[in-house]
Amino acid sequence: MALAAAKPDTRPANPQFSSGPCAKRPGWTVAALESALLGRSHRAKNPKARLAEVIDRSRAILGIPADWRLGIVPASDTGAVEMALWSLLGARPVDVLAFESFSQTWATDIVKQLKLADARVLTAPYGKLPNLADVDFTHDVVLAWNGTTSGVRIPNGDWIPAQREGLVIADATSAAFAMDLPWDKLDVVTWSWQKVLGGEAAHGMLALSPRAVERLTTYKPAWPLPKIFRLTSGGKLTEGVFKGETINTPSMLCVEDAVDGLRWAEGIGGLKALIGRSEASLAAIAAWVAKTDWADFLAEAPATRSCTSICLKITAPWFTALAPEAQAEAAKKLASLLEKEGVAYDIGSYRDAPPGLRIWAGATVETADVAALLPWLDWAYAQVAASYTTQAAE
């Protein structure tokens, strides 16, 4: 397609496409926080009830089975995942699916920090998934349901047996509330407030199946656990964690914001509507990619393309001929142009990912804003491409 020399006439109404913290819900203002229970103990009756409200509304929207436990834990999704790894692993061999930055981090923790000798790391380069048929479900399995830094997602849970010996631990931070998670195929699911519903950072959510609870109460890891990881006492589950009694002190301002996001989600139609909003934005980008001769999805298989962290690679010959450092510089210039124009903030690819763009399209992002951004991508690319091709000609 022809490169856009003139600036587009339409701008996104909201230029916030960061992959975390993510855009606030449509219509959000600080007035949404006026009822925050500030200056109160989080253990007092009303603040504790507000924490429990986050748990209850999250459970209802996501369709979490009634016999699962759901709690608020420290340190965002990272804290929730680490809590699961350090508390549950070691009882049997482990398979880790590593196909982008964060899933590789979990693999590193398991192999180098927990030092589990019977851990297998099933790897794939950015843009692909490991061979799911290689997973051994007599082992515990650790995976990211959606690769936030690669834009590659697990397409479904059909490959996971309902009857399995090991636990399946899923980091779903950029999947929860935007993808239909197969709860019967999972045992631990984690996420944070700062992704699909646009909440604030530092708080994680930890969902445990009955099988995961059984592991917690019957297995003691060989290593010591710090206080913020402890979910049991005297061999029994600490039930208060799953009723709003957090392990550490939460921000009641962030709690109020999380409640606001959940109420908004309910008001627009719940999980089905949230998924629909994200998928509509993915469809808009897919239609643009189909007509574009310089960009493509980083995720190679269409079924694995994320509808939240949508990662694009630059395919133009002049770009692919550059050295890796020069590619990174060119991609950064493209993202900087968009930020300078005020049409897109924070859409450069993750620092460990291949150079390109990453557009967040979680449920709080309007598809109309994504559609308005796309001509600007062509415009910014044209400016960068012209500068590089001119240099080459000289």
Side-chain angles (χ1 to χ4, degrees):
M1 62 184 296
L3 297 179
K7 290 182 180 179
D9 295 327
T10 303
R11 293 170 176 265
N14 184 352
Q16 295 172 336
F17 299 100
S18 165
S19 290
C22 302
K24 308 301 288 183
R25 63 154 174 89
W28 185 93
T29 68
V30 293
L33 307 179
E34 288 179 350
S35 298
L37 298 171
L38 305 181
R40 295 290 311 277
S41 167
H42 61 292
R43 303 194 187 283
K45 180 179 178 180
N46 289 344
K48 181 179 172 182
R50 193 78 98 243
L51 287 157
E53 184 178 350
V54 173
I55 293 171
D56 294 342
R57 290 182 185 273
S58 298
R59 176 188 293 278
I61 293 171
L62 292 171
I64 299 175
D67 58 356
W68 280 53
R69 304 307 208 286
L70 176 60
I72 299 168
V73 299
S76 194
D77 177 68
T78 300
V81 173
E82 296 285 15
M83 182 179 290
L85 301 185
W86 286 74
S87 299
L88 293 166
L89 295 186
R92 57 176 61 240
V94 185
D95 282 2
V96 193
L97 276 61
F99 56 95
E100 49 85 54
S101 298
F102 290 103
S103 53
Q104 183 58 58
T105 295
W106 311 143
T108 299
D109 283 358
I110 290 166
V111 174
K112 295 186 177 181
Q113 301 301 322
L114 294 178
K115 302 184 185 301
L116 296 182
D118 51 3
R120 295 195 310 163
V121 181
L122 309 180
T123 63
Y126 276 86
K128 296 183 179 182
L129 285 174
N131 185 353
L132 301 181
D134 290 341
V135 176
D136 184 345
F137 287 98
T138 66
H139 298 181
D140 291 331
V141 179
V142 177
L143 55 87
W145 197 262
N146 182 80
T148 309
T149 66
S150 68
V152 174
R153 62 172 158 180
I154 306 291
N156 55 59
D158 295 350
W159 57 285
I160 304 173
Q163 302 298 320
R164 56 193 177 274
E165 295 181 35
L167 301 178
V168 178
I169 300 172
D171 169 2
T173 193
S174 55
F177 297 102
M179 301 175 196
D180 199 4
L181 298 170
W183 297 97
D184 61 326
K185 303 296 184 71
L186 305 173
D187 294 289
V188 179
V189 179
T190 69
W191 66 92
S192 66
W193 297 349
Q194 69 200 49
K195 295 294 187 183
V196 176
L197 294 187
E200 294 304 304
H203 300 77
M205 300 294 288
L206 176 67
L208 302 172
S209 74
R211 298 178 71 244
V213 171
E214 181 183 19
R215 172 76 65 83
L216 278 172
T217 56
T218 59
Y219 164 70
K220 185 177 181 180
W223 43 82
L225 291 177
K227 178 182 177 181
I228 62 170
F229 283 4
R230 295 176 202 156
L231 293 168
T232 61
S233 179
K236 295 183 179 180
L237 191 69
T238 306
E239 293 284 0
V241 172
F242 308 98
K243 299 176 181 178
E245 297 174 9
T246 55
I247 294 173
N248 70 333
T249 304
S251 163
M252 296 309 298
L253 195 66
C254 293
V255 169
E256 195 68 22
D257 191 57
V259 169
D260 175 73
L262 291 162
R263 290 173 178 170
W264 168 76
E266 293 166 349
I268 66 169
L271 184 60
K272 182 177 180 180
L274 296 170
I275 293 173
R277 289 172 64 88
S278 290
E279 291 288 353
S281 293
L282 172 60
I285 293 177
W288 172 80
V289 166
K291 300 184 296 182
T292 302
D293 59 7
W294 64 269
D296 199 357
F297 288 100
L298 184 56
E300 295 182 4
T304 69
R305 291 171 184 164
S306 171
C307 64
T308 55
S309 52
I310 301 175
C311 296
L312 302 174
K313 59 185 178 181
I314 299 172
T315 58
W318 69 266
F319 181 88
T320 57
L322 297 174
E325 296 81 5
Q327 289 183 0
E329 180 184 11
K332 185 176 181 180
K333 287 181 178 179
L334 200 162
S336 296
L337 268 178
L338 296 166
E339 182 165 346
K340 184 178 180 181
E341 289 293 330
V343 294
Y345 298 131
D346 312 322
I347 68 167
S349 59
Y350 190 72
R351 59 180 179 268
D352 294 334
L357 300 174
R358 180 172 60 158
I359 302 167
W360 181 258
T364 58
V365 175
E366 299 281 20
T367 298
D369 286 335
V370 172
L373 169 65
L374 298 175
W376 283 94
L377 299 185
D378 287 322
W379 172 82
Y381 168 77
Q383 313 312 305
V384 174
S387 67
Y388 276 82
T389 53
T390 299
Q391 290 175 19
E394 294 174 349

